[in-house]
Amino acid sequence: MSELLQFTFSGLTVGAVYALVALGFTIIYNASGVVNFAQGEFVMLGGMITVFAHAAGAPLPAAAALAVVATAAIGILLNKLAIERARGASVVTLIIITIGASIFLRGAAQLGFDKQLHRFPSFSGDDPIAIAGATILPQSLWMLFGAAVVFAALYLFFTRSLTGKAVLATANNKLAAQLVGIDTDFVMALSFGLSAAIGALAGVLATPITLTSYDAGTALALKGFAAAMLGGMGNPFGALVGGLLVGLIEATTAGYLSSDYKDAAAFVVILAVLFAMPQGLFGKSAQERV
Amino acid sequence: MRPLFAKPISAKQATLLVLLLLIAVAPAFFPSNFYYRVGTLIFINGLAVTGLVVLIGYAGQISLGHAGFAGLGAYACALGPVHLGLPPALSLVLGAVLSGLLAWLVGRPILRLKGHYLAIATLGFGVLVSMVLANEAWLTGGPDGMAVADLGLRGLLKSAGIKVGNAELWYWLAGLILLAGAWLALNLKDSPSGRALRSLHDSEVAARTVGVDVARYKLSAFVISAVYASVSGSLLALTNRFVTPDIANFLHSIELVTMTVLGGAGTVIGAATGALLLTALPQVLTALQEYEHIVFGLIMMLVMIFLPDGLLPSLHRLLRRRVS
């Protein structure tokens, strides 16, 4: 029993990161219809910028804040310089543009930083906390707490603020949103900035446990994309559930079956879910218009 | 007597002619054997990409997992001679048949999905194949890879009195196979089946309305492209005489799709251009050392932003506008 609890803890910890990455995918997808494969690089940048700012003498909170702001700026630039200019291009074209962006950012990180594995100290020490025969790291609690705060804040943002509702309106129907006077270019920029910031925050929270390096983004993007699709693309709640599920599936597979196949298990489940529910768990079904 | 070139040659003949000329003339400019090797890699990638033209360009479906089929083809050539006693050439055929069969099995449920859902499902399939190849070390040698038997063609030619260098031989062999693959894909394009396939690209609903069996045509495009990818994987394993699970991984899938779209997914010649560029470019960019990835990513983005239909179709349109 305590074994299962242990796997649940570690599953929820990685699941929280996947959920944040999936949330980043969701926000950009809703605003622009683009699946941003550079989402994993935002997480990497969040971790790496914090590491180097901290090493340069900045206190950890300041380094983390700098990382989030800088990454958000990179996200906005990505939108301005690449996505906005390719408006109206096909799905495959847009996927390749963001893959190009992810290769570019990886190369830039390798050049600007280095090729080593890095970490910085946990926020509240590394002494595991014992709960019912299992243990959990204080940093894991920080990760779960951080993810919970982000999801709650976004929920309030989308339901209570006028700007949040403008984002939802743009996601729903861009042309109609423009007609009622919503600045959809601003919404696009906001979405990229927001999702880059969320990715960077995930990187800041996870790096003390998972470590980071210039090429850490690809695997995270794959898992986050999978989590978003599992939940149903475009649904923030689906991103949360999908992320936590992928984390839990991985942790229990690694614990009970084989750690070699922990990455496979998530994809097996996703294929099974998509066969039964082609729109993911919480996705809306769409009809092709002629 | 009918004068030569009285009527303009068809796009199919033009494509084959251009490919043939390029393959035949290029070696005249090769300063060293190394260029034969790069040429071979271009043709092998070109073959997989030609298969993707059928899937992406004609049928309008996407796959982020075709490296999985390349992996199957490659490991068929590695394992066939060792475990089944098959000659490498027959192993290649066996790999192609297995890939086609697997694509047929997986394709039925997967191809009901659309857009990004199809992308993640094919991606998951590719990840699973590469993981099995990496983890089942008792069979595949695991991440370290395994040696691949010699094709034996060079020995055969030698006994017939023809002496040819290994790099050159592979250049001509891969070139010939690419030509054959391009010829098949081009024939498909203008056949009734090809027209049905291309009708899917524009609108599935419209295609269904005029009586196209949408599911069947999608599935056949998927199977055809899987066979192309498998043969390309087999050739890569045979020419390298070595194979690792990397051949099946996600990045290789992405590479193949990028080649297809970058050059222009709608036509064989466009996609072949993509294969040429993206295979040759890294060889050139290694000179830039640590700037390699930055420049590579930048080129990918710039081409797709400014020439969203791909290199060749966009250039073609540009030229036509100049002329008229």
Side-chain angles (χ1 to χ4, degrees), chain A residues 29 33 35 82 85 91-93 96-97 99-101 103-104 107-108 110-111 222 225-226 229 232-233 260-261 263-264 267-268 271 274-275 278-280 288 290, chain B residues 62 64 109-110 112-113 116-117 120-121 123-125 127-128 131-132 135-136 203-205 250 254 257-258 261 290-291 293-294 296-298 300-301 304-305 308:
Chain A
Y29 177 77
V35 167
R85 278 164 207 272
V91 170
V92 197
T93 303
I96 290 176
I97 290 177
I99 289 172
I103 295 176
F104 175 79
Q110 179 192 341
L111 197 67
L222 276 187
F225 183 32
M229 302 310 289
M233 200 67 187
D260 288 341
Y261 280 104
D263 294 321
F267 283 106
V268 171
L271 284 175
L274 287 182
F275 291 162
Q279 307 293 328
E288 184 190 359
V290 185
Chain B
I62 189 176
L64 298 183
I110 277 188
R112 286 190 305 144
L113 304 168
H116 293 115
Y117 291 92
I120 189 71
L123 191 160
F125 164 78
V127 169
L128 291 180
M131 229 168 267
V132 170
N135 287 337
E136 301 304 318
S203 164
E204 264 183 47
V205 175
F250 169 64
I254 292 291
V257 173
T258 308
V261 179
E290 62 260 51
Y291 292 94
H293 291 290
I294 292 193
F296 191 67
L298 209 57
M300 266 171 85
M301 285 200 284
M304 292 325 314
I305 291 169

Side-chain angles (χ1 to χ4, degrees), chain B residues 16-320:
Chain B
L16 289 174
L17 206 64
V18 169
L19 277 179
L20 181 69
L21 279 178
L22 279 179
I23 295 170
V25 173
F29 302 95
F30 287 173
S32 75
N33 254 348
F34 172 72
Y35 288 78
Y36 281 106
R37 159 92 183 144
V38 177
T40 307
L41 291 179
I42 291 172
F43 299 154
I44 289 175
N45 282 331
L47 188 67
V49 164
T50 305
L52 284 178
V53 167
V54 175
L55 185 70
I56 301 176
Y58 295 179
Q61 307 299 309
I62 189 176
S63 168
L64 298 183
H66 259 55
F69 296 116
L72 277 177
Y75 274 89
C77 281
L79 295 171
V82 182
H83 290 279
L84 304 174
L86 285 175
L90 264 183
S91 305
L92 177 147
V93 176
L94 179 72
V97 171
L98 283 178
S99 291
L101 216 62
L102 188 67
W104 185 75
L105 277 175
V106 192
R108 305 190 124 214
I110 277 188
L111 289 164
R112 286 190 305 144
L113 304 168
K114 291 191 174 68
H116 293 115
Y117 291 92
L118 181 61
I120 189 71
T122 48
L123 191 160
F125 164 78
V127 169
L128 291 180
V129 172
S130 75
M131 229 168 267
V132 170
L133 293 178
N135 287 337
E136 301 304 318
W138 59 273
L139 185 66
T140 65
D144 295 337
M146 62 186 293
V148 178
D150 185 38
L151 180 59
L153 187 61
R154 198 159 160 235
L156 212 67
L157 286 177
K158 204 172 194 175
S159 61
I162 307 168
K163 268 194 195 156
V164 55
N166 191 41
E168 278 173 69
L169 176 66
W170 270 105
Y171 178 89
W172 296 115
L173 183 64
L176 267 180
I177 295 174
L178 173 64
L179 265 181
W183 179 69
L184 283 175
L186 287 165
N187 275 343
L188 177 69
K189 185 174 186 177
D190 292 319
S191 70
S193 304
R195 274 192 285 275
L197 267 183
R198 285 185 289 150
S199 74
L200 295 182
H201 194 183
D202 299 326
S203 164
E204 264 183 47
V205 175
R208 190 174 292 131
T209 319
V210 295
V212 173
D213 185 344
V214 170
R216 207 190 91 203
Y217 278 105
K218 273 194 202 174
L219 189 60
S220 52
F222 194 66
V223 170
I224 291 170
S225 60
V227 170
Y228 271 86
S230 171
V231 173
S232 132
S234 295
L235 291 175
L236 197 62
L238 287 169
T239 184
N240 286 343
R241 301 285 313 275
F242 197 77
V243 62
T244 67
D246 282 350
I247 190 172
N249 78 10
F250 169 64
L251 290 176
H252 189 210
S253 291
I254 292 291
E255 218 171 55
L256 293 177
V257 173
T258 308
M259 286 175 185
T260 314
V261 179
L262 196 82
T267 59
V268 170
I269 194 77
T273 313
L276 168 77
L277 281 179
L278 286 188
T279 314
L281 200 60
Q283 314 281 350
V284 180
L285 290 183
T286 46
L288 298 172
Q289 290 172 357
E290 62 260 51
Y291 292 94
E292 183 189 342
H293 291 290
I294 292 193
V295 175
F296 191 67
L298 209 57
I299 291 176
M300 266 171 85
M301 285 200 284
L302 289 178
V303 172
M304 292 325 314
I305 291 169
F306 293 108
L307 310 169
D309 298 329
L311 214 51
L312 272 204
S314 302
L315 285 181
H316 187 70
R317 196 170 320 132
L318 217 65
L319 280 178
R320 224 179 344 190

Side-chain angles (χ1 to χ4, degrees), chain A residues 42-271:
Chain A
F42 293 156
V43 183
M44 176 272 290
L45 285 173
M48 290 294 265
I49 295 175
T50 312
V51 166
F52 279 80
H54 187 52
L60 201 51
L66 173 74
V68 172
V69 172
T71 309
I74 291 171
I76 293 171
L77 278 179
L78 173 65
N79 172 53
K80 260 273 158 311
L81 299 179
I83 306 296
E84 218 169 71
R85 278 164 207 272
R87 198 169 287 167
S90 69
V91 170
V92 197
T93 303
L94 287 166
I95 286 184
I96 290 176
I97 290 177
T98 62
I99 289 172
S102 89
I103 295 176
F104 175 79
L105 288 174
R106 216 178 305 148
Q110 179 192 341
L111 197 67
F113 303 124
D114 58 20
K115 288 180 159 184
Q116 312 297 318
L117 270 176
H118 291 285
R119 68 166 295 206
F120 46 82
S122 307
F123 300 172
S124 328
D126 292 315
D127 302 325
I129 304 162
I131 302 171
T135 59
I136 189 166
L137 288 169
Q139 191 64 29
S140 298
L141 294 176
W142 273 108
M143 285 161 76
L144 290 169
F145 174 72
V149 168
V150 167
F151 273 92
L154 271 184
Y155 178 76
L156 289 178
F157 173 67
F158 282 131
T159 52
R160 299 290 157 82
S161 78
L162 201 58
T163 320
K165 285 179 182 169
V167 177
L168 288 186
T170 309
N172 219 314
N173 187 331
K174 196 167 178 182
L175 188 63
Q178 276 168 343
L179 284 174
V180 296
I182 292 170
D183 183 353
T184 51
D185 283 345
F186 170 73
V187 167
M188 285 270 286
L190 178 73
S191 306
F192 271 85
L194 199 60
S195 107
I198 292 172
L201 184 69
V204 170
L205 292 169
T207 299
I209 295 183
T210 58
L211 281 64
T212 193
S213 62
Y214 79 101
D215 59 354
T218 314
L220 282 168
L222 276 187
K223 298 290 174 52
F225 183 32
M229 302 310 289
L230 181 61
M233 200 67 187
N235 183 333
F237 179 66
L240 177 64
V241 176
L244 293 179
L245 268 180
V246 170
L248 285 172
I249 294 165
E250 265 185 34
T252 41
T253 312
Y256 290 117
L257 294 172
S258 136
S259 56
D260 288 341
Y261 280 104
K262 80 176 167 67
D263 294 321
F267 283 106
V268 171
V269 172
I270 286 155
L271 284 175

